[in-house]
Amino acid sequence: MDYEHTCKIRGDGGRTLRAILDQICNKWTLLVVATLDQGTLRFGDLHQQVPGISQRMLTLTLRNLERDGLVLRTVYAEVPPRVEYALTAVGKSLIPPALALATWAIEHVPGIEARRADQKPSRGTA
Amino acid sequence: MDYEHTCKIRGDGGRTLRAILDQICNKWTLLVVATLDQGTLRFGDLHQQVPGISQRMLTLTLRNLERDGLVLRTVYAEVPPRVEYALTAVGKSLIPPALALATWAIEHVPGIEARRADQKPSRGTA
DNA sequence: CGGAATCCCTTCGGATACTG
DNA sequence: CAGTATCCGAAGGGATTCCG
């Protein structure tokens, strides 16, 4: 009975879990959320602080987050356009779980990658 | 300074985090891991207990988990083939972070989905 | 500055059929 | 039983171009 908690994961066949996985697994979402944890940032700031992201993907990621109520988008009607993004309460609440995953990653990914590297060369028990 | 912990997420530009995200985001991995939290299971058991998964995807998912050392695969050389799968210590260690995510999902996904439903029809403040 | 639109390649993943 | 192989459509996501 030490596994009854996994019903939270398996619960409805994983539908609920997957709803969020579909959102955060898109390669950039968690990075953007983590970056916004600093506080309000402009589009350009985000573009710089999330290394490697394209304008397109940043826009799409932010739009999805806004749609889901994790991010608040504020447009200022100024001459040089200014748009600011900030996490909502729901958005902030995603940080701890994300952090749990990141902590796990820091601890285990190096070993996993070493293992992968080991298997490619000879693949045997040699 | 309440956001310095996000360095764990953003750390290396998210490379470490993404290494695990790439693994768990493939739609079935977390379900399989959660199912295996019960204990050792055979291929057929998993196929039944993970609703909707195809043989192909179950095989691929298990192979990836085995490669990364999260799952141990044991083949018995019997007349009707028998293969058992079990979580390794590393695999088990993934449960808590996954559970954190699942808990978040249970709490917030309903609201998110309601919000999505709201935006499709009129999309306005109507 | 902050996008939107288009193009296009890669990957994911479902369905099906075959095998030891 | 426990896969493997093939086909194929859908989605992810990068590069580039254009716009208010």
Side-chain angles (χ1 to χ4, degrees), chain B residues 61-107:
Chain B
T61 302
L62 288 169
R63 287 290 186 278
N64 286 334
L65 287 170
E66 186 195 7
R67 176 201 57 192
D68 290 352
L70 304 201
V71 157
L72 183 66
R73 180 172 178 262
T74 309
V75 183
Y76 296 88
E78 300 177 354
V79 184
R82 182 160 61 101
V83 182
E84 292 185 344
Y85 295 90
L87 289 183
T88 64
V90 176
K92 285 186 207 291
S93 73
L94 184 56
I95 300 284
L99 191 59
L101 219 46
T103 303
W104 189 93
I106 291 171
E107 190 170 350

Side-chain angles (χ1 to χ4, degrees), chain B residues 29-93:
Chain B
T29 295
L30 280 189
L31 277 308
V32 170
V33 169
T35 303
L36 280 174
D37 193 41
Q38 301 171 57
T40 300
L41 288 175
R42 301 180 55 170
F43 186 89
D45 296 332
L46 279 167
H47 197 193
Q48 287 176 18
Q49 295 202 29
V50 181
I53 197 170
S54 63
Q55 283 192 341
R56 174 183 132 92
M57 290 317 296
L58 181 53
T59 299
L60 288 177
T61 302
L62 288 169
R63 287 290 186 278
N64 286 334
L65 287 170
E66 186 195 7
R67 176 201 57 192
D68 290 352
L70 304 201
V71 157
L72 183 66
R73 180 172 178 262
T74 309
V75 183
Y76 296 88
E78 300 177 354
V79 184
R82 182 160 61 101
V83 182
E84 292 185 344
Y85 295 90
L87 289 183
T88 64
V90 176
K92 285 186 207 291
S93 73

Side-chain angles (χ1 to χ4, degrees), chain A residues 36-83:
Chain A
L36 280 173
D37 192 41
Q38 302 171 55
T40 301
L41 288 175
R42 301 180 55 169
F43 185 89
D45 297 332
L46 279 167
H47 197 193
Q48 287 176 18
Q49 295 202 30
V50 181
I53 197 172
S54 64
Q55 284 192 340
R56 174 183 134 89
M57 289 317 296
L58 180 54
T59 299
L60 288 177
T61 302
L62 288 168
R63 285 292 186 277
N64 285 336
L65 287 170
E66 186 196 8
R67 176 201 58 191
D68 289 352
L70 305 201
V71 156
L72 183 65
R73 180 171 178 263
T74 309
V75 182
Y76 296 88
E78 300 177 355
V79 184
R82 182 160 61 101
V83 182

Side-chain angles (χ1 to χ4, degrees), chain A residues 3-25:
Chain A
Y3 58 83
E4 75 179 42
H5 55 281
T6 57
C7 65
K8 286 195 177 179
I9 297 177
R10 303 182 57 213
D12 50 358
R15 202 198 65 82
T16 300
L17 212 209
R18 286 257 319 289
I20 176 60
L21 281 184
D22 287 346
Q23 170 67 288
I24 71 173
C25 275

